[in-house]
């Protein structure tokens, strides 16, 4: 138990669906991250929210949309995804903005049919 | 070429063996992280270090800043150590290695 909770753990969706992934931490951290993990590849940063500033990887398609309503909650909204978007999506947080120990959630395994 | 390289990619060991996993990087860093990922997917932070050596139970992590190299050692390995071990470095962003898959057999 790392203190970072992700829901759902598994999600299967069609290409026309709209769904959301949720991440929650009550560790008092002020930076939260979304990562994509595909087979045989390093973790790929999608979005960072740090001290209310959003940083994004410009290669992330617009069908992925993050939302960070407060410092404890992070969402990833999914819309008209493609089969190649099937992957493990990991949320992480840490205390010091861009420094400090990393705390990861268990991940959300997404399958796009 | 990835800025963070791990070796070996795969490693098998018998229970009780001493394990070493290596991480080399090519950028200036403020810290290096060793992470453990079990088959379920969740990732746990093992160490964060910026110099020297840290020890936690049977795990030891070392870093040589001049040589841009870090090692993770596991003493008296156990089947429950079977996991993917990931090295990541802090620059102006986090850069991850592709991981080392370790299997320890009884």
């Amino acid at each position: 138990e790392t203190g970072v909770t992700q829901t759902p753990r598994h999600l299967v969706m069609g290409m026309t669906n709209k769904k959301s992934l949720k991440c929650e931490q009550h560790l008092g951290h002020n930076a939260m991250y979304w990562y994509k993990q595909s087979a045989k590849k390093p973790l790929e940063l999608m979005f960072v929210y740090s001290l209310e500033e959003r940083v994004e990887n410009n290669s992330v398609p617009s069908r992925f949309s993050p939302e960070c309503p407060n410092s404890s909650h992070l969402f990833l909204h999914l819309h008209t995804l493609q089969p190649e978007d099937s992957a493990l999506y990991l949320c992480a947080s840490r205390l010091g903005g861009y420094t400090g120990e990393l705390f990861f959630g268990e991940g959300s395994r997404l399958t796009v049919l | 070429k990835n800025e963070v390289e791990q070796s070996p990619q795969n490693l098998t060991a018998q229970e009780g063996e001493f394990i070493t996993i290596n991480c080399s990087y090519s950028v200036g860093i403020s810290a290096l992280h060793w992470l453990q990922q079990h088959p379920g997917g969740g990732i746990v932070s093992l160490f964060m270090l910026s110099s020297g050596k840290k020890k936690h139970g049977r795990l030891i992590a070392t870093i040589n800043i001049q040589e841009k190299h870090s090692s993770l050692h596991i003493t008296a390995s156990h089947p429950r150590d079977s996991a993917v071990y990931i090295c990541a470095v802090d620059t102006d962003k986090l850069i991850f290695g592709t991981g080392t898959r370790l299997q320890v057999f009884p």
Side-chain angles (χ1 to χ4, degrees), chain B residues 31-82:
Chain B
L32 182 142
H33 304 260
W34 280 104
L35 310 167
Q36 180 191 56
Q37 186 173 31
H38 279 284
I43 294 176
V44 174
S45 174
L46 299 175
F47 296 102
M48 184 181 76
L49 64 167
S50 53
S51 65
K53 175 179 172 178
K54 286 191 175 180
K55 184 176 189 293
H56 184 248
R58 295 180 295 106
L59 302 178
I60 303 167
T62 63
I63 188 168
N64 185 318
I65 295 293
Q66 287 73 31
E67 294 185 4
K68 291 187 164 60
H69 181 268
S70 175
S71 293
L72 176 68
H73 306 286
I74 305 175
T75 61
S77 59
H78 190 275
R80 65 175 174 267
D81 297 325
S82 298

Side-chain angles (χ1 to χ4, degrees), chain B residues 11-25:
Chain B
L11 185 56
T12 58
Q14 286 295 124
E15 184 173 356
E17 286 185 6
F18 181 82
I19 304 285
T20 295
I21 299 171
N22 296 298
C23 177
S24 296
Y25 52 92

